[in-house]
Each structure stands twice: as structure tokens, then as C-alpha cells.
Amino acid sequence: STCPINAAVEVIGDQWSLLVLRDMLLQSKFRFSEFRRSDEGIATNILTARLARLQAFGLIEKHPDPDDGRGALYLPTERALDLIPVLLAAMAWSDAHQPGTAHFPGAVEGYNADPHAVSDLLKSKVRQEREALLP
């Protein structure tokens, strides 16, 4: 299919890929162990597969962890940062239509007030975190 929505769904359309991206882009999680501790309880084999898939699609890069020689850092690429508005829009939709969902303090309110400003602020924050983690 040449449908752009289908193309996006093929890359990020499964639950676990979106949750890994959420953790990375909105919660500053960059290590395998941090993703494993997420509330949704992703299985190790599924997490491994999703990280590899996101890497294959150019959304994340795997780097040696300077703090743990055995570990790795999974860092978002610019391509992944461009998904921040998508994640914020999904949060705003859930906040409006799915009562009882929790969201990140100020994120939905900020998004509703000025989506571009909040997206740009988060992109800048993630870029700074990414740069600080790389030697």
C-alpha cells in the first residue's frame, strides 16, 4: 500500500513499539532495564525484538553504555523525535475520550495550549539528554 497511514502503522503501529518510544521520548528511559520496569510489563523477548525493529527502521541507535560496559544505551534519532507530536496528540485524545487515563503533568495542557511549543521543548530536552549520554 502507498497509504501514508499504513506506512506509519507498519513502523510504529504495535503497542510495544509505541510504549518504548513513549518511555524514551517522554520519560527519558534509554536502557533495557529501564524499559523493563515500565508499568505495562513488557516481556524480555518482546522488548529485544522491538528495540531491534526500531533500530532497523532508523528510529533508535544502539550505543555502548559508558556507565556499564556490558550494557547498551538506546537513543532516539531525529526521525524518532519527529514522533513527539504524534505521541502528544495521542495523549490529548486519550485525555479527552478515555476517562481515567493518567498523563504527564502539564503535557496535555501544554499541548492543547500550544502543540508546537511543547513538541519543540521536548525535542530539545531529548537532544540534550542524548548528547549528555554519549562520550
Side-chain angles (χ1 to χ4, degrees), residues 35-103:
F35 299 125
R36 281 281 299 132
R37 287 194 296 268
S38 293
D39 290 341
E40 292 79 16
I42 187 170
T44 303
N45 62 325
I46 294 173
L47 177 56
T48 300
R50 291 313 180 272
L51 290 169
R53 180 180 173 85
L54 292 171
Q55 189 175 1
F57 280 116
L59 293 172
I60 65 173
E61 296 174 340
K62 184 177 179 181
H63 296 273
D65 187 341
D67 296 333
D68 178 2
R70 300 169 306 173
L73 294 173
Y74 298 92
L75 301 176
T77 63
E78 287 296 315
R79 191 173 180 179
L81 294 179
D82 287 342
L83 288 169
I84 287 175
V86 174
L87 296 175
L88 291 171
M91 288 172 51
W93 182 88
S94 290
D95 188 63
H97 300 288
Q98 298 291 109
T101 58
H103 58 270

